[in-house]
């Protein structure tokens, strides 16, 4: 059991303690949160698995369901590696796992949206666990 994630467009909150806050592509062993978009130290869960959420300028959520969370979870591997792809183009943030779109956020809340920041690999607090990442690639997107 474990919870982890990939932080992106995040801000360093405490450099000595390795604490960041910002968008997070979640992944965890029980697959309850895997694929969601969570804003660490911010607005919390922005989009669940299977949701396309527009965060309006006023901070309201407009939610569209494009897939069933349980059905999408069937594409996740519990006994091997999963390929996580994050596409952050402008204010559109998409999380793909094994080439399957898991969640999408369109962040129009300009006072809270992030357009840049650090990338960090998260190990959630809790019981002892091992989290592994491999073959990390960061590349700019062409418009």
């Amino acid at each position: 059991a474990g919870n982890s994630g990939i932080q992106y467009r995040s801000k360093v909150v405490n450099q000595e303690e390795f604490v960041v806050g910002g968008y997070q592509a979640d992944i965890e062993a029980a697959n309850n949160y895997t694929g969601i978009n969570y804003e660490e130290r911010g607005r919390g869960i922005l989009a669940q698995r299977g949701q396309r959420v527009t965060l309006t300028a006023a901070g309201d959520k407009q939610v569209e369901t494009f897939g069933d969370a349980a059905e999408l979870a069937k594409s996740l591997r519990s006994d091997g590696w999963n390929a996580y792809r994050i596409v952050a183009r402008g204010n559109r943030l998409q999380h793909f796992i094994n080439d399957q779109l898991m969640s999408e956020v369109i962040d129009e809340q300009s006072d809270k949206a992030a357009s840049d920041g650090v990338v960090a690999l998260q190990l959630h607090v809790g019981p002892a666990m091992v989290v592994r990442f491999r073959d990390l690639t960061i590349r700019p997107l062409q418009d």
Side-chain angles (χ1 to χ4, degrees):
N3 185 319
S4 181
I6 304 161
Q7 296 282 150
Y8 62 100
R9 292 186 177 180
S10 292
K11 305 296 182 223
V12 177
V13 175
N14 182 323
Q15 188 167 347
E16 292 74 32
E17 299 288 325
F18 303 105
V19 177
V20 299
Y23 301 120
Q24 177 180 296
D26 229 322
I27 191 162
E28 46 88 37
N31 287 331
N32 295 312
Y33 302 109
T34 299
I36 74 166
N37 190 319
Y38 179 78
E39 188 178 33
E40 185 78 31
R41 301 189 179 274
R43 296 169 284 180
I45 295 175
L46 301 180
Q48 297 279 3
R49 186 170 53 233
Q51 290 183 339
R52 179 174 294 110
V53 175
T54 299
L55 300 167
T56 69
D60 298 318
K61 280 187 177 183
Q62 298 172 345
V63 179
E64 171 193 341
T65 301
F66 65 81
D68 179 73
E71 283 299 310
L72 289 168
K74 291 179 181 178
S75 68
L76 304 172
R77 297 182 193 109
S78 60
D79 60 348
W81 290 97
N82 288 282
Y84 217 129
R85 179 168 44 106
I86 301 164
V87 178
R89 185 185 306 264
N91 68 343
R92 183 179 300 268
L93 313 168
Q94 298 172 305
H95 296 175
F96 295 85
I97 302 178
N98 303 324
D99 292 322
Q100 176 68 54
L101 179 63
M102 294 288 164
S103 66
E104 182 173 2
V105 170
I106 297 104
D107 197 347
E108 298 175 349
Q109 195 175 7
S110 60
D111 62 325
K112 295 189 178 183
S115 60
D116 63 4
V118 301
V119 173
L121 305 177
Q122 185 214 34
L123 175 65
H124 200 280
V125 297
M129 67 187 89
V130 175
V131 177
R132 293 185 176 108
F133 297 91
R134 70 176 189 182
D135 300 331
L136 299 171
T137 303
I138 300 172
R139 62 186 165 113
L141 298 174
Q142 303 298 320
D143 286 330

